[in-house]
Amino acid sequence: MSKGMVRLAVDLTINERKLDEFEGIARTMIAGSQKEPGTLAYDFFLSHDRQRCRLIESYVNADSVLAHFKGPVVQELVPKLLGTASLTGFEVYG
């Protein structure tokens, strides 16, 4: 176990005919998150049928997670992403 590290697992179901838009937003989210201090990992994984997605995020500590939640990736891009997909699960570890 890593002391202080926080991981998030976010499950999404991609709306019909929205995969291309979803992937574009996801790429922008990855690029933005990688620039944030304290971000260790930020990766999207698509299911074989490309209808479901799991986002795995890792941060050095809770303060880094809170900064991410207040930043442009969450405040500006998550609402756009949710226009292309439905949130089906959200888990926090740490």
Side-chain angles (χ1 to χ4, degrees):
M1 284 178 31
S2 299
K3 189 173 184 176
M5 182 186 292
V6 178
R7 289 193 174 114
L8 307 177
V10 182
D11 293 320
L12 300 151
T13 299
I14 301 167
N15 298 340
E16 284 188 50
R17 296 181 297 281
K18 294 290 185 172
L19 178 62
D20 290 340
E21 186 178 354
F22 177 90
E23 288 182 317
I25 296 166
R27 281 190 291 277
T28 304
M29 292 174 72
I30 291 167
S33 294
Q34 289 175 339
K35 295 176 186 174
E36 295 175 342
T39 300
L40 299 173
Y42 196 90
D43 297 301
F44 285 86
F45 300 92
L46 289 174
S47 62
H48 180 70
D49 62 8
R50 302 176 69 79
Q51 294 178 349
R52 291 172 287 114
C53 178
R54 176 166 271 192
L55 167 61
I56 302 291
E57 308 174 46
S58 298
Y59 300 91
V60 296
N61 57 32
D63 290 337
S64 298
V65 175
L66 292 175
H68 173 70
F69 286 166
K70 293 177 183 178
V73 170
V74 172
Q75 295 299 311
E76 297 170 18
L77 296 174
V78 167
K80 291 179 182 179
L81 189 76
L82 292 175
T84 66
S86 300
L87 180 66
T88 56
F90 189 94
E91 299 173 346
V92 179
Y93 304 93

